[in-house]
Amino acid sequence: MELASSALESMTIFIVDGYISYSRLQIYDGSINGRSYEYDIVEWFDEVSENAGLVQRETLRRILEMNCEVEYLKKWLGGYKIKEMDACALESLYKSLVPLVSHADLEPYIQRIADGDTNPLLTHQRITTLSLRQKYVPFTRHSAQTTLQIFRLAAAYRSKVYPIKEGRRILEFIYSSNQFKTKGGLTAGTATTHYYASEEFKIKQEKTKSFTCSPEEVISGGDYKQSTYCHLLLGLYFSDQVEFITSTFAYSIVQAFTELEEIWKDICQDIKLGNLSSRITLPRMRQAVLEIISPNPHLASQIEVTCKKLESDLDWFGLVPTLWPNAKYVYSIMTGSMQPYSKRLRHYAGDLPLVSADYGSTESWIGANLDPCLPPDDVTFAVVPTFSYFEFIPIHRRKQDFSPVIDDFIEDEPVPLSQVKLGQEYEIVLTTFTGLYRYRLGDVVEVAGFHKGTPKLNFLCRRKLILTINIDKNTEKDLQIVVERGSQLLSKSARAELVDFTSHADSINQPGHYIIYWEIKGEAEEKVLRECCREMDASFVDHGYVVSRRTNSIGPLELCIVKKGTFKKILEHFIGNGAALSQFKTPRCTSNQVILRILNDWTVKRVRSTAYC
């Protein structure tokens, strides 16, 4: 352990392997003077939040002290004695000399690491693992440690509102994907896969005194269908012990419960006999589950009666509190691209609270949900100022701008965390312990408030436009609003609901136009679908789009209804190419030819908008 100095009264700054804890209390062992770790971690967070500006400068200083000799930083800071500078001067120097970058700027360095270059290119910490999500991102022990830290912090705040009993279980729909070796021998896979394999994942269960229903063999099985079946089976087997239900993304929970609607009879049979369906063919997974379950005809009968009632009378409404009577809440990421699944998740949860999980990315954790009682639509995330050094680029939406730009924002110079303003929108910039320097994350957030001295962020959207043909500029958030308005008409006018959606900007056929693909549950007449299509087309408010539609330089929006199971087939395509279910997000706009072929081959009905006619 290294001790750094601070002028902050009696506060001490503890630094362990680049993992910084600012507190008068050490909290690594989980308890101080007989008090629970939940109390101490909340006290710790209050202290670092109260002094967020100082903590941020010290965080940056430590990152640069550790890594000033790496190849990337020497290019910008090589002539300066970094270790002799104070934090304020270093912060100013860093921001004046080191440029803002995207992943493409750092990719040559990361690729050299992947190919086996062991020189200190981005960080002095030896990188043996890379996270993969369309691109490589360095993953170090610090990544796992901050994951543990934010889970403990969030659990402490949740326990204030929804206290859980120690020794109980969590029904977690979590999945590891297959890992592989890069050319240079590094292990590559998703960030969640690395975390579930880490010591920190085991520590989290011990510290929170809550244990996942499924053993490691189910989590790491590599076949999401078999893992989902076993998650559901063991979740129901331990149904009276389950304190809450969770997954990384809301999609995974909805997907699992949709599957339960089809397979509950098989699960009841397995519980009754203490057996395991022949669909589970992976030997390690099969053995691990069979070592846990034993015959329980009474429980199987109870579940069977309950599922029959849920299926016939309630369309599975309130599935969660009915099958898991002691569950306190459902916990998952429900913001951003997960928002469209919240309606179905609410259906399954009944009156049980939906609690939005914390805000992070493959590159870094960012903020914790300190208000778990708030609905997902109102959630904010308090930035944890020890995880990375954060900058914020003030951005402003363009007004009636017809220039062919790549997004619809103009921006000012970045500001530090301590200078953000309430109500202002920003793009987040990260400097991390894992070797990313002034890295533009691409997330657009709004400062919705403050916890002590650290901002509470509302996630708005990804900055990149997803729908554009010429002068039109529409983001994922714009698309979500439009689809929500159309789906409201669907549910009002027909006994149907939206299951999932994506879109495509067709610029091949002239005039170019937007195509929105819907998978729906239930039936809807063509008249209703035409009304939904017209409503969506009329709901795009981007000035460039409206003008283009009026002049017919963009054609009428097209709504395509696809067969049941289309988006599951898309999921299987992604998983077949190495994605993990726990990190899967339906692409809200796609130009991927394989996905478009699936969508078009499985389309059963097409309607065109009559707006602007």
Side-chain angles (χ1 to χ4, degrees):
M1 177 179 292
E2 180 179 344
L3 186 63
S5 63
S6 171
L8 185 61
E9 298 179 355
S10 58
M11 181 177 287
T12 304
I13 304 175
F14 295 97
I15 305 172
V16 180
D17 297 331
Y19 179 53
I20 302 179
S21 173
Y22 297 78
S23 182
R24 283 181 289 273
L25 303 173
Q26 292 189 54
I27 59 169
Y28 301 110
D29 65 353
S31 64
I32 297 294
N33 300 329
R35 293 179 294 182
S36 68
Y37 81 87
E38 287 89 349
Y39 178 87
D40 297 319
I41 201 167
V42 169
E43 182 175 282
W44 166 82
F45 187 63
D46 281 346
E47 289 186 0
V48 298
S49 299
E50 185 74 48
N51 301 279
L54 180 147
V55 170
Q56 276 282 275
R57 286 192 295 274
E58 290 292 341
T59 298
L60 176 63
R61 184 179 66 81
R62 184 56 181 163
I63 292 172
L64 297 180
E65 281 186 352
M66 290 170 60
N67 299 309
C68 60
E69 297 298 323
V70 304
E71 182 176 318
Y72 180 79
L73 284 181
K74 283 174 71 174
K75 182 167 66 170
W76 309 106
L77 303 174
Y80 294 88
K81 296 181 179 180
I82 300 300
K83 295 182 181 181
E84 296 179 11
M85 299 179 68
D86 66 50
C88 288
L90 186 55
E91 182 181 42
S92 297
L93 180 73
Y94 176 71
K95 292 196 288 187
S96 66
L97 295 181
V98 179
L100 296 170
V101 297
S102 66
H103 187 271
D105 298 300
L106 298 180
E107 192 167 17
Y109 296 89
I110 298 174
Q111 191 60 54
R112 285 169 60 189
I113 294 168
D115 290 343
D117 192 332
T118 57
N119 291 307
L121 304 179
L122 292 173
T123 174
H124 266 296
Q125 289 186 339
R126 183 165 175 257
I127 296 174
T128 59
T129 309
L130 294 172
S131 295
L132 177 62
R133 189 166 173 190
Q134 298 180 326
K135 55 187 183 286
Y136 287 136
V137 175
F139 185 99
T140 68
R141 187 173 176 225
H142 181 268
S143 308
Q145 288 174 323
T146 54
T147 300
L148 172 61
Q149 182 82 332
I150 201 163
F151 283 178
R152 290 177 58 189
L153 179 62
Y157 277 93
R158 290 200 311 277
S159 68
K160 290 182 174 183
V161 183
Y162 310 111
I164 63 175
K165 296 179 180 178
E166 288 190 0
R168 291 296 189 95
R169 294 183 181 268
I170 309 168
L171 174 50
E172 294 189 276
F173 294 103
I174 52 180
Y175 308 82
S176 294
S177 64
N178 292 325
Q179 296 175 312
F180 63 93
K181 295 292 184 180
T182 68
K183 178 181 176 181
L186 279 72
T187 301
T190 64
T192 50
T193 297
H194 299 326
Y195 176 66
Y196 299 143
S198 72
E199 188 65 27
E200 281 75 15
F201 179 63
K202 299 174 185 176
I203 293 172
K204 185 206 79 165
Q205 298 190 75
E206 291 293 336
K207 293 296 185 184
T208 59
K209 303 301 181 185
S210 297
F211 302 89
T212 186
C213 291
S214 301
E216 183 273 335
E217 291 84 356
V218 172
I219 297 168
S220 63
D223 183 315
Y224 86 92
K225 290 183 178 180
Q226 294 190 47
S227 292
T228 297
Y229 185 91
C230 292
H231 282 321
L232 289 167
L233 169 64
L234 293 168
L236 288 168
Y237 185 78
F238 295 115
S239 56
D240 63 334
Q241 298 181 39
V242 170
E243 290 286 311
F244 65 93
I245 293 169
T246 185
S247 186
T248 306
F249 293 122
Y251 172 85
S252 298
I253 303 177
V254 171
Q255 183 270 340
F257 290 153
T258 301
E259 187 73 8
L260 180 62
E261 293 181 28
E262 305 293 329
I263 62 173
W264 65 267
K265 292 179 182 177
D266 291 344
I267 289 177
C268 286
Q269 186 71 2
D270 283 347
I271 293 175
K272 178 181 179 180
L273 301 176
N275 203 351
L276 189 54
S277 168
S278 60
R279 74 181 71 204
I280 309 303
T281 59
L282 296 170
R284 290 181 66 248
M285 186 184 299
R286 190 173 183 86
Q287 180 180 350
V289 174
L290 286 172
E291 288 176 356
I292 294 172
I293 63 174
S294 57
N296 194 332
H298 178 67
L299 176 60
S301 178
Q302 285 182 319
I303 295 171
E304 183 178 6
V305 170
T306 301
C307 287
K308 282 181 178 178
K309 183 173 179 59
L310 286 167
E311 182 180 56
S312 60
D313 298 345
L314 300 172
D315 186 29
W316 299 94
F317 176 82
L319 173 158
V320 176
T322 305
L323 289 174
W324 290 279
N326 295 314
K328 309 296 191 303
Y329 54 88
V330 178
Y331 179 62
S332 187
I333 294 173
M334 303 175 193
T335 53
S337 60
M338 293 298 112
Q339 193 172 5
Y341 305 111
S342 61
K343 184 176 180 181
R344 190 62 188 172
L345 194 56
R346 166 52 60 208
H347 181 84
Y348 286 134
D351 296 329
L352 211 62
L354 298 181
V355 180
S356 185
D358 308 291
Y359 176 27
S361 65
T362 301
E363 293 82 0
S364 174
W365 281 104
I366 297 166
N369 177 7
L370 307 187
D371 304 294
C373 56
L374 292 179
D377 288 347
D378 299 327
V379 70
T380 61
F381 305 98
V383 177
V384 183
T386 61
F387 284 176
S388 294
Y389 177 73
F390 299 96
E391 295 175 77
F392 296 83
I393 301 174
I395 54 177
H396 312 274
R397 296 178 186 270
R398 296 176 184 269
K399 302 295 184 182
Q400 300 184 10
D401 184 353
F402 296 99
S403 59
V405 295
I406 60 171
D407 65 36
D408 61 344
F409 297 102
I410 56 177
E411 59 188 45
D412 295 330
E413 288 298 310
V415 298
L417 177 147
S418 59
Q419 293 180 20
V420 297
K421 296 178 180 178
L422 185 67
Q424 173 65 50
E425 294 181 8
Y426 298 92
E427 179 188 351
I428 296 177
V429 176
L430 300 172
T431 295
T432 73
F433 283 95
T434 57
L436 305 178
Y437 304 98
R438 305 200 80 197
Y439 180 97
R440 300 181 72 141
L441 191 59
D443 286 4
V444 177
V445 298
E446 178 185 23
V447 176
F450 293 88
H451 176 76
K452 310 292 183 180
T454 198
K456 296 170 77 172
L457 307 177
N458 175 22
F459 176 86
L460 297 181
C461 62
R462 293 286 292 169
R463 179 160 181 175
K464 183 181 178 182
L465 294 176
I466 64 170
L467 283 172
T468 182
I469 290 175
N470 44 45
I471 62 171
D472 49 309
K473 311 178 189 75
N474 286 295
T475 65
E476 182 176 319
K477 185 69 173 179
D478 298 324
L479 176 64
Q480 285 184 358
I481 291 170
V482 164
V483 170
E484 177 63 25
R485 290 181 178 174
S487 63
Q488 286 175 355
L489 273 182
L490 177 72
S491 58
K492 287 179 181 177
S493 305
R495 295 196 64 181
E497 65 179 87
L498 180 64
V499 173
D500 215 335
F501 72 92
T502 191
S503 64
H504 173 62
D506 181 3
S507 57
I508 302 298
N509 299 301
Q510 295 300 318
H513 68 290
Y514 295 174
I515 304 173
I516 297 180
Y517 297 89
W518 277 9
E519 181 178 329
I520 63 175
K521 182 178 182 180
E523 298 292 332
E525 297 178 356
E526 186 166 318
K527 177 183 176 182
V528 172
L529 295 176
R530 289 189 183 279
E531 290 175 354
C532 294
C533 184
R534 185 186 187 283
E535 177 68 19
M536 287 193 292
D537 199 8
S539 295
F540 282 107
V541 297
D542 169 67
H543 194 66
Y545 183 79
V546 172
V547 169
S548 298
R549 285 290 287 115
R550 285 174 177 167
T551 59
N552 201 38
S553 57
I554 292 181
L557 184 142
E558 183 178 4
L559 173 60
C560 295
I561 305 301
V562 299
K563 289 189 291 188
K564 179 182 178 182
T566 298
F567 283 87
K568 184 175 285 188
K569 189 171 183 65
I570 291 172
L571 165 66
E572 291 170 353
H573 165 72
F574 274 89
I575 289 177
N577 284 278
L581 179 60
S582 59
Q583 288 199 317
F584 174 75
K585 295 181 180 179
T586 298
R588 291 306 172 206
C589 182
T590 185
S591 57
N592 182 297
Q593 292 303 306
V594 175
I595 295 174
L596 287 173
R597 186 161 57 248
I598 295 170
L599 290 165
N600 291 321
D601 287 349
W602 285 46
T603 292
V604 295
K605 194 172 293 184
R606 296 176 183 266
V607 296
R608 285 285 194 127
S609 166
T610 57
Y612 301 98
C613 290

